[in-house]
Coordinates of all heavy atoms in Angstrom, one line a residue:
L1 N 14.3 8.8 -1.5 CA 15.2 7.9 -1.0 C 14.6 6.5 -0.8 O 15.3 5.5 -0.5 CB 15.8 8.4 0.3 CG 16.6 9.7 0.3 CD1 17.0 10.1 1.7 CD2 17.7 9.6 -0.6
G2 N 13.3 6.4 -0.9 CA 12.7 5.1 -0.8 C 12.5 4.6 0.7 O 12.1 3.5 0.9
A3 N 12.8 5.5 1.6 CA 12.7 5.1 3.0 C 11.3 5.2 3.5 O 10.5 6.0 3.0 CB 13.6 5.9 3.9
E4 N 10.9 4.3 4.4 CA 9.6 4.4 5.0 C 9.6 5.4 6.1 O 10.6 5.6 6.8 CB 9.2 3.0 5.6 CG 8.9 2.0 4.6 CD 7.7 2.3 3.7 OE1 6.7 2.7 4.2 OE2 7.8 2.1 2.5
P5 N 8.4 6.2 6.3 CA 8.4 7.1 7.5 C 8.6 6.4 8.8 O 8.1 5.3 9.0 CB 7.0 7.7 7.4 CG 6.5 7.4 6.0 CD 7.2 6.2 5.5
V6 N 9.4 7.0 9.7 CA 9.6 6.4 11.0 C 8.9 7.2 12.0 O 9.0 8.4 12.1 CB 11.1 6.5 11.3 CG1 11.4 5.9 12.7 CG2 11.9 5.7 10.3
P7 N 8.0 6.5 12.8 CA 7.3 7.3 13.8 C 8.2 7.7 15.0 O 9.2 7.0 15.2 CB 6.2 6.3 14.3 CG 6.8 4.9 14.0 CD 7.7 5.1 12.8
A8 N 7.9 8.8 15.6 CA 8.6 9.2 16.8 C 8.2 8.2 17.9 O 7.1 7.7 18.0 CB 8.2 10.6 17.2
S9 N 9.2 7.8 18.8 CA 8.9 7.0 19.9 C 10.1 7.2 20.9 O 11.2 7.6 20.5 CB 8.8 5.5 19.5 OG 10.1 5.0 19.0
E10 N 9.8 6.9 22.1 CA 10.7 7.1 23.2 C 12.1 6.5 23.0 O 13.1 7.0 23.2 CB 10.1 6.6 24.5 CG 10.9 7.1 25.8 CD 10.8 8.6 25.9 OE1 9.8 9.2 25.7 OE2 11.9 9.2 26.4
D11 N 12.1 5.3 22.4 CA 13.3 4.5 22.2 C 13.7 4.3 20.8 O 14.6 3.6 20.5 CB 13.2 3.2 22.9 CG 12.1 2.3 22.4 OD1 11.2 2.8 21.7 OD2 12.0 1.1 22.8
G12 N 13.0 5.0 19.9 CA 13.3 4.9 18.4 C 14.4 5.9 18.0 O 14.9 6.8 18.8
P13 N 14.8 5.8 16.7 CA 15.9 6.7 16.3 C 15.5 8.2 16.2 O 16.4 9.0 16.2 CB 16.2 6.1 14.9 CG 14.9 5.4 14.5 CD 14.3 4.9 15.7
L14 N 14.2 8.5 16.1 CA 13.8 9.9 16.1 C 13.4 10.4 17.5 O 13.1 11.5 17.7 CB 12.6 10.1 15.2 CG 12.9 9.7 13.7 CD1 11.7 10.0 12.9 CD2 14.1 10.5 13.2
G15 N 13.5 9.5 18.5 CA 13.2 9.9 19.9 C 11.8 10.3 20.1 O 10.9 9.9 19.4
F16 N 11.6 11.1 21.1 CA 10.3 11.6 21.7 C 9.4 12.2 20.7 O 8.2 12.0 20.7 CB 10.6 12.5 22.9 CG 9.5 13.3 23.3 CD1 8.4 12.8 24.0 CD2 9.4 14.7 23.0 CE1 7.4 13.5 24.4 CE2 8.4 15.4 23.5 CZ 7.3 14.9 24.2
A17 N 10.0 13.0 19.8 CA 9.1 13.8 18.9 C 9.9 14.1 17.6 O 11.1 14.2 17.6 CB 8.7 15.1 19.6
K18 N 9.2 14.4 16.6 CA 9.8 14.9 15.4 C 9.0 16.1 14.8 O 7.8 16.2 15.0 CB 9.9 13.8 14.3 CG 8.5 13.2 13.9 CD 8.7 12.1 12.9 CE 7.4 11.5 12.5 NZ 7.6 10.5 11.5
M19 N 9.7 17.1 14.3 CA 9.0 18.3 13.8 C 9.5 18.7 12.4 O 10.7 19.1 12.3 CB 9.3 19.4 14.8 CG 8.7 20.8 14.5 SD 9.2 22.0 15.7 CE 8.8 21.3 17.3
P20 N 8.7 18.4 11.4 CA 9.2 18.8 10.0 C 9.4 20.3 9.9 O 8.6 21.1 10.5 CB 8.0 18.3 9.2 CG 7.2 17.4 10.0 CD 7.4 17.8 11.4
F21 N 10.5 20.7 9.2 CA 10.6 22.2 9.1 C 11.0 22.6 7.7 O 10.9 23.7 7.3 CB 11.6 22.8 10.1 CG 13.0 22.3 9.9 CD1 13.9 23.0 9.1 CD2 13.5 21.2 10.7 CE1 15.2 22.5 9.0 CE2 14.8 20.8 10.6 CZ 15.7 21.5 9.7
F22 N 11.4 21.7 6.8 CA 11.7 22.0 5.4 C 11.8 20.7 4.6 O 12.6 19.8 4.9 CB 13.0 22.8 5.3 CG 13.4 23.1 3.9 CD1 12.8 24.1 3.2 CD2 14.5 22.4 3.3 CE1 13.1 24.4 1.9 CE2 14.8 22.7 2.0 CZ 14.2 23.7 1.3
K23 N 10.9 20.6 3.7 CA 10.8 19.4 2.8 C 10.8 18.1 3.7 O 10.0 18.0 4.5 CB 11.9 19.4 1.8 CG 11.8 20.5 0.8 CD 12.8 20.4 -0.3 CE 12.6 21.6 -1.3 NZ 13.5 21.5 -2.4
S24 N 11.8 17.3 3.6 CA 11.9 16.0 4.4 C 12.8 16.2 5.6 O 13.0 15.2 6.3 CB 12.3 14.9 3.5 OG 13.7 15.1 3.1
F25 N 13.3 17.4 5.9 CA 14.1 17.6 7.0 C 13.3 17.8 8.3 O 12.2 18.4 8.2 CB 15.1 18.8 6.8 CG 16.0 18.6 5.7 CD1 15.8 19.3 4.5 CD2 17.1 17.8 5.8 CE1 16.7 19.2 3.4 CE2 17.9 17.6 4.7 CZ 17.7 18.3 3.6
Q26 N 13.8 17.3 9.4 CA 13.1 17.4 10.7 C 14.0 17.8 11.8 O 15.2 17.6 11.8 CB 12.5 16.1 11.0 CG 11.5 15.6 9.9 CD 10.9 14.2 10.3 OE1 10.4 14.1 11.4 NE2 10.9 13.3 9.4
L27 N 13.4 18.4 12.8 CA 14.0 18.6 14.1 C 13.5 17.5 14.9 O 12.2 17.3 15.0 CB 13.5 20.0 14.6 CG 14.1 20.5 15.9 CD1 15.6 20.8 15.7 CD2 13.4 21.7 16.3
H28 N 14.3 16.7 15.5 CA 13.8 15.5 16.3 C 14.7 15.2 17.5 O 15.9 15.6 17.5 CB 13.6 14.3 15.4 CG 14.8 13.8 14.7 ND1 15.7 13.0 15.4 CD2 15.3 13.9 13.5 CE1 16.7 12.7 14.5 NE2 16.4 13.2 13.4
G29 N 14.1 14.4 18.4 CA 14.9 13.9 19.5 C 15.7 12.7 19.1 O 15.8 12.3 17.9
G30 N 16.3 12.0 20.0 CA 17.0 10.8 19.7 C 17.2 9.9 21.0 O 17.3 10.4 22.1
A31 N 17.1 8.7 20.7 CA 17.1 7.7 21.9 C 18.5 7.6 22.4 O 18.7 7.1 23.5 CB 16.6 6.4 21.4
H32 N 19.5 7.9 21.6 CA 20.9 7.7 22.0 C 21.7 9.0 22.0 O 21.9 9.6 20.9 CB 21.6 6.7 21.0 CG 20.8 5.4 20.9 ND1 20.7 4.5 21.9 CD2 20.0 4.9 19.9 CE1 19.9 3.5 21.5 NE2 19.5 3.7 20.3
R33 N 22.2 9.4 23.1 CA 22.9 10.6 23.3 C 24.2 10.6 22.5 O 24.6 11.7 22.0 CB 23.2 10.9 24.7 CG 22.0 11.3 25.5 CD 22.4 11.6 27.0 NE 21.3 12.2 27.7 CZ 21.0 13.5 27.8 NH1 21.7 14.3 27.1 NH2 20.0 13.9 28.4
Y34 N 24.8 9.5 22.3 CA 26.1 9.4 21.6 C 25.9 9.8 20.1 O 26.9 10.0 19.4 CB 26.8 8.1 21.7 CG 26.0 6.9 21.1 CD1 26.1 6.6 19.8 CD2 25.2 6.1 22.0 CE1 25.4 5.5 19.3 CE2 24.5 5.0 21.5 CZ 24.6 4.7 20.1 OH 23.9 3.7 19.6
T35 N 24.7 9.9 19.5 CA 24.5 10.2 18.1 C 24.4 11.7 18.0 O 24.5 12.2 16.8 CB 23.3 9.6 17.5 OG1 22.1 10.0 18.2 CG2 23.4 8.0 17.6
I36 N 24.3 12.5 19.0 CA 24.2 14.0 18.9 C 25.5 14.5 18.4 O 26.6 14.2 18.8 CB 23.9 14.6 20.3 CG1 22.6 14.1 20.9 CG2 23.9 16.1 20.2 CD1 21.4 14.4 20.1
G37 N 25.4 15.3 17.3 CA 26.6 15.9 16.7 C 27.2 14.9 15.6 O 28.2 15.3 15.0
M38 N 26.7 13.8 15.5 CA 27.2 12.8 14.5 C 26.3 12.8 13.3 O 25.1 13.0 13.4 CB 27.3 11.4 15.1 CG 28.2 11.3 16.4 SD 29.9 11.8 16.1 CE 30.4 10.4 15.1
P39 N 26.8 12.4 12.1 CA 25.9 12.3 10.9 C 25.1 11.0 11.0 O 25.3 10.1 10.3 CB 26.9 12.3 9.8 CG 28.1 11.8 10.3 CD 28.2 12.2 11.8
A40 N 24.1 11.0 11.9 CA 23.3 9.8 12.1 C 22.0 9.8 11.3 O 21.3 8.8 11.2 CB 23.0 9.7 13.6
T41 N 21.5 11.0 10.8 CA 20.3 11.1 10.1 C 20.6 11.8 8.7 O 21.7 12.3 8.5 CB 19.2 11.9 10.9 OG1 19.7 13.2 11.2 CG2 18.9 11.2 12.2
L42 N 19.6 11.9 7.9 CA 19.7 12.5 6.6 C 19.5 14.0 6.5 O 18.7 14.5 5.8 CB 18.8 11.8 5.6 CG 18.9 10.2 5.5 CD1 17.8 9.6 4.7 CD2 20.2 9.9 4.9
G43 N 20.4 14.7 7.3 CA 20.3 16.2 7.2 C 19.4 16.8 8.3 O 19.2 18.0 8.3
C44 N 18.9 16.0 9.2 CA 18.0 16.5 10.2 C 18.8 17.2 11.3 O 20.0 17.0 11.4 CB 17.2 15.4 10.8 SG 16.0 14.6 9.6
V45 N 18.1 17.9 12.2 CA 18.7 18.5 13.3 C 18.3 17.6 14.5 O 17.1 17.5 14.8 CB 18.3 20.0 13.5 CG1 18.9 20.5 14.8 CG2 18.7 20.8 12.3
Q46 N 19.2 17.0 15.2 CA 18.9 16.1 16.3 C 19.2 16.7 17.6 O 20.2 17.3 17.8 CB 19.7 14.8 16.1 CG 19.2 13.7 17.1 CD 20.0 12.4 16.9 OE1 20.8 12.3 16.1 NE2 19.6 11.5 17.8
L47 N 18.2 16.6 18.5 CA 18.3 17.1 19.9 C 18.3 15.8 20.8 O 17.9 14.8 20.4 CB 17.2 18.0 20.3 CG 17.0 19.2 19.4 CD1 15.7 19.9 19.7 CD2 18.1 20.2 19.5
T48 N 18.6 16.0 22.1 CA 18.3 15.0 23.0 C 16.8 14.9 23.2 O 16.1 15.9 23.0 CB 19.0 15.2 24.4 OG1 18.5 16.4 24.9 CG2 20.5 15.3 24.2
N49 N 16.3 13.8 23.7 CA 14.9 13.8 24.1 C 14.5 14.8 25.1 O 13.4 15.4 25.0 CB 14.5 12.4 24.6 CG 14.3 11.4 23.5 OD1 14.0 11.7 22.3 ND2 14.5 10.1 23.8
D50 N 15.4 15.1 26.1 CA 15.1 16.1 27.1 C 14.9 17.5 26.4 O 14.0 18.2 26.7 CB 16.1 16.1 28.2 CG 16.1 14.9 29.0 OD1 15.0 14.2 29.1 OD2 17.1 14.6 29.7
S51 N 15.9 17.8 25.5 CA 15.8 19.1 24.8 C 14.6 19.2 24.0 O 13.9 20.3 23.9 CB 17.1 19.3 24.0 OG 18.2 19.4 24.8
M52 N 14.2 18.1 23.3 CA 13.0 18.1 22.5 C 11.7 18.3 23.3 O 10.8 19.0 22.9 CB 12.9 16.8 21.7 CG 12.0 16.9 20.5 SD 12.5 18.1 19.3 CE 11.0 18.2 18.4
R53 N 11.7 17.7 24.5 CA 10.6 17.9 25.5 C 10.5 19.4 25.9 O 9.4 19.9 26.0 CB 10.8 17.0 26.7 CG 10.2 15.7 26.5 CD 10.2 14.9 27.9 NE 10.0 13.5 27.6 CZ 10.9 12.7 27.3 NH1 12.2 13.0 27.3 NH2 10.6 11.4 27.0
E54 N 11.7 20.0 26.2 CA 11.7 21.4 26.6 C 11.2 22.3 25.4 O 10.4 23.2 25.6 CB 13.1 21.9 26.9 CG 13.6 21.3 28.2 CD 15.0 21.8 28.5 OE1 15.3 23.0 28.2 OE2 15.8 21.0 29.1
L55 N 11.6 22.0 24.2 CA 11.1 22.8 23.0 C 9.6 22.6 22.8 O 8.9 23.5 22.6 CB 11.9 22.3 21.8 CG 11.4 23.0 20.5 CD1 11.6 24.5 20.6 CD2 12.2 22.4 19.3
D56 N 9.1 21.4 23.0 CA 7.7 21.1 22.8 C 6.9 21.8 23.9 O 5.9 22.5 23.6 CB 7.5 19.6 23.0 CG 6.0 19.2 22.7 OD1 5.5 19.5 21.6 OD2 5.4 18.6 23.6
A57 N 7.4 21.8 25.1 CA 6.7 22.5 26.2 C 6.7 24.0 26.0 O 5.7 24.7 26.2 CB 7.3 22.2 27.5
W58 N 7.8 24.6 25.5 CA 7.9 26.0 25.2 C 7.0 26.4 24.1 O 6.3 27.4 24.2 CB 9.4 26.4 24.9 CG 9.6 27.8 24.5 CD1 9.7 28.8 25.4 CD2 9.6 28.4 23.2 NE1 9.8 30.0 24.7 CE2 9.7 29.8 23.4 CE3 9.5 27.9 21.9 CZ2 9.8 30.6 22.3 CZ3 9.6 28.7 20.9 CH2 9.7 30.1 21.1
L59 N 6.9 25.6 23.0 CA 6.0 25.9 21.9 C 4.6 25.9 22.3 O 3.8 26.8 22.0 CB 6.3 25.0 20.7 CG 7.6 25.2 20.0 CD1 7.8 24.0 19.0 CD2 7.6 26.5 19.2
A60 N 4.2 24.9 23.2 CA 2.9 24.8 23.7 C 2.5 26.0 24.6 O 1.4 26.6 24.4 CB 2.7 23.5 24.4
A61 N 3.4 26.3 25.5 CA 3.2 27.4 26.4 C 3.1 28.8 25.7 O 2.4 29.7 26.2 CB 4.3 27.5 27.5
S62 N 3.8 28.9 24.6 CA 3.8 30.2 23.9 C 2.6 30.4 23.0 O 2.4 31.4 22.3 CB 5.1 30.3 23.0 OG 5.1 29.4 22.0
G63 N 1.8 29.3 22.9 CA 0.6 29.4 22.1 C 0.8 29.1 20.6 O 0.0 29.3 19.8
A64 N 2.0 28.6 20.3 CA 2.3 28.3 18.9 C 1.7 27.0 18.4 O 1.6 26.8 17.2 CB 3.9 28.3 18.7
L65 N 1.3 26.1 19.3 CA 0.8 24.8 18.9 C -0.6 24.6 19.3 O -1.1 25.1 20.3 CB 1.6 23.6 19.5 CG 3.1 23.5 19.1 CD1 3.7 22.4 19.9 CD2 3.3 23.4 17.6
D66 N -1.4 23.8 18.5 CA -2.7 23.5 18.9 C -2.6 22.3 19.9 O -1.5 21.9 20.3 CB -3.6 23.1 17.7 CG -3.2 21.8 17.0 OD1 -2.2 21.1 17.5 OD2 -3.8 21.4 16.0
A67 N -3.8 21.8 20.4 CA -3.8 20.8 21.4 C -3.4 19.4 20.9 O -3.0 18.6 21.6 CB -5.2 20.6 22.0
G68 N -3.4 19.3 19.6 CA -2.9 18.0 19.0 C -4.0 17.0 18.8 O -5.1 17.1 19.4
R69 N -3.7 16.0 18.0 CA -4.7 14.9 17.8 C -3.8 13.6 17.7 O -2.6 13.7 17.4 CB -5.5 15.1 16.5 CG -4.6 15.1 15.3 CD -5.5 15.3 14.0 NE -4.6 15.4 12.8 CZ -4.0 14.4 12.2 NH1 -4.1 13.2 12.6 NH2 -3.2 14.7 11.2
L70 N -4.4 12.5 18.0 CA -3.8 11.2 17.8 C -4.0 10.6 16.5 O -5.1 10.6 16.0 CB -4.2 10.2 18.9 CG -3.7 10.5 20.3 CD1 -4.3 9.5 21.3 CD2 -2.2 10.4 20.4
T71 N -2.9 10.1 15.9 CA -3.1 9.4 14.6 C -3.5 7.9 14.9 O -3.4 7.4 16.0 CB -1.7 9.4 13.8 OG1 -0.8 8.6 14.5 CG2 -1.2 10.8 13.6
P72 N -3.9 7.2 13.8 CA -4.2 5.8 14.0 C -3.0 5.0 14.6 O -3.1 3.9 15.2 CB -4.6 5.3 12.6 CG -5.1 6.5 11.9 CD -4.2 7.6 12.5
R73 N -1.7 5.5 14.3 CA -0.5 4.8 14.8 C -0.2 5.2 16.2 O 0.8 4.7 16.8 CB 0.7 5.1 13.9 CG 0.5 4.5 12.6 CD 1.8 4.6 11.8 NE 2.5 5.8 11.8 CZ 3.4 6.2 11.0 NH1 3.8 5.4 10.0 NH2 4.0 7.4 11.1
G74 N -1.0 6.1 16.8 CA -0.8 6.4 18.2 C 0.1 7.6 18.4 O 0.5 8.0 19.5
E75 N 0.5 8.3 17.3 CA 1.3 9.5 17.4 C 0.5 10.7 17.7 O -0.6 10.8 17.1 CB 2.1 9.7 16.1 CG 3.1 8.7 15.8 CD 3.8 9.0 14.5 OE1 3.2 8.9 13.4 OE2 5.0 9.4 14.5
R76 N 1.0 11.6 18.5 CA 0.3 12.9 18.7 C 0.8 13.9 17.7 O 2.0 14.0 17.6 CB 0.5 13.4 20.1 CG -0.2 14.8 20.3 CD -0.5 15.2 21.7 NE -1.3 14.2 22.4 CZ -2.6 14.2 22.3 NH1 -3.3 15.0 21.5 NH2 -3.3 13.3 23.1
V77 N -0.1 14.5 16.9 CA 0.3 15.4 15.9 C -0.2 16.8 16.2 O -1.4 16.9 16.6 CB -0.3 15.0 14.5 CG1 0.1 16.0 13.4 CG2 0.3 13.6 14.1
H78 N 0.6 17.8 16.2 CA 0.3 19.2 16.5 C 0.4 20.0 15.2 O 1.1 19.7 14.3 CB 1.2 19.8 17.5 CG 1.1 19.2 18.9 ND1 0.2 19.6 19.8 CD2 1.9 18.3 19.5 CE1 0.3 18.9 20.9 NE2 1.4 18.1 20.7
A79 N -0.4 21.0 15.1 CA -0.3 22.0 14.0 C 0.1 23.3 14.6 O -0.3 23.7 15.8 CB -1.6 22.1 13.3
F80 N 0.9 24.1 13.9 CA 1.3 25.4 14.3 C 0.2 26.3 14.2 O -0.5 26.4 13.1 CB 2.5 25.9 13.6 CG 3.8 25.4 14.1 CD1 4.4 24.3 13.6 CD2 4.5 26.1 15.1 CE1 5.6 23.8 14.0 CE2 5.7 25.6 15.6 CZ 6.3 24.5 15.1
L81 N -0.1 27.1 15.2 CA -1.2 28.1 15.1 C -0.6 29.5 14.7 O -1.3 30.4 14.3 CB -1.9 28.3 16.5 CG -2.6 27.0 17.0 CD1 -3.0 27.2 18.4 CD2 -3.7 26.6 16.1
Q82 N 0.7 29.7 15.0 CA 1.4 30.9 14.6 C 2.8 30.6 14.5 O 3.3 29.6 15.0 CB 1.2 32.0 15.7 CG 1.7 31.5 17.1 CD 1.4 32.5 18.2 OE1 0.5 33.3 18.1 NE2 2.1 32.5 19.3
P83 N 3.6 31.5 13.8 CA 5.0 31.2 13.6 C 5.7 31.3 14.9 O 5.3 32.0 15.8 CB 5.4 32.4 12.7 CG 4.2 32.9 12.0 CD 3.1 32.6 13.0
A84 N 6.8 30.6 15.0 CA 7.6 30.6 16.2 C 9.1 30.8 15.8 O 9.5 30.1 14.9 CB 7.5 29.3 17.1
V85 N 9.8 31.7 16.4 CA 11.2 31.9 16.1 C 12.0 31.1 17.0 O 11.9 31.3 18.2 CB 11.5 33.4 16.1 CG1 13.0 33.6 15.9 CG2 10.7 34.2 15.1
I86 N 12.9 30.3 16.5 CA 13.7 29.5 17.3 C 15.2 29.8 16.9 O 15.5 29.7 15.8 CB 13.5 28.0 17.1 CG1 12.0 27.6 17.4 CG2 14.4 27.1 17.9 CD1 11.6 26.3 17.0
R87 N 15.9 30.2 17.9 CA 17.4 30.5 17.7 C 18.2 29.4 18.3 O 18.0 29.1 19.5 CB 17.7 31.8 18.2 CG 17.1 33.0 17.5 CD 17.6 34.3 18.0 NE 17.0 35.4 17.3 CZ 15.8 36.0 17.7 NH1 15.2 35.6 18.8 NH2 15.3 37.0 17.0
I88 N 19.0 28.8 17.5 CA 19.9 27.7 18.0 C 21.3 28.3 18.2 O 21.9 28.9 17.3 CB 20.0 26.5 17.1 CG1 18.5 26.0 16.9 CG2 20.9 25.5 17.6 CD1 18.4 24.9 15.9
R89 N 21.8 28.3 19.4 CA 23.1 28.9 19.7 C 24.1 27.9 20.0 O 23.9 26.8 20.5 CB 23.0 29.8 20.9 CG 22.1 30.9 20.7 CD 22.0 31.8 21.9 NE 20.8 32.6 21.7 CZ 20.5 33.7 22.4 NH1 21.4 34.1 23.3 NH2 19.5 34.4 22.2

């Protein structure tokens, strides 16, 4: 699509965190609650920042994520240590 990668940020369009799950699709937070449920991104699954924080904490507590590292842009990047099953209801 020619788009530049957008870093996750508290007030950015991807919110607190982003989690790639298939090709260029991501699970991510969002700075604006009014965009939840709206076609605001290119096929991604958008959560509120609070929900994304809960998911991040759950994945870390379950042992699914490593401690993470900081990128030169200041983003914290985690790697999955084991598969995690997430059911969205």
Side-chain angles (χ1 to χ4, degrees):
L1 299 174
E4 291 294 318
V6 176
S9 67
E10 194 65 38
D11 57 352
L14 299 181
F16 163 74
K18 60 183 183 179
M19 184 182 305
F21 66 88
F22 178 74
K23 295 186 180 180
S24 63
F25 297 107
Q26 300 181 50
L27 186 66
H28 62 79
H32 306 291
R33 288 183 173 271
Y34 62 83
T35 61
I36 303 297
M38 304 299 289
T41 59
L42 301 172
C44 296
V45 177
Q46 185 176 3
L47 305 171
T48 63
N49 280 335
D50 291 340
S51 293
M52 196 65 197
R53 276 191 192 84
E54 287 180 38
L55 177 59
D56 185 59
W58 178 80
L59 288 169
S62 70
L65 298 177
D66 68 2
R69 64 178 174 78
L70 284 177
T71 68
R73 294 190 314 196
E75 293 180 289
R76 178 159 301 280
V77 177
H78 294 276
F80 278 93
L81 298 172
Q82 62 187 19
V85 176
I86 300 169
R87 291 185 182 92
I88 301 173
R89 299 177 195 197

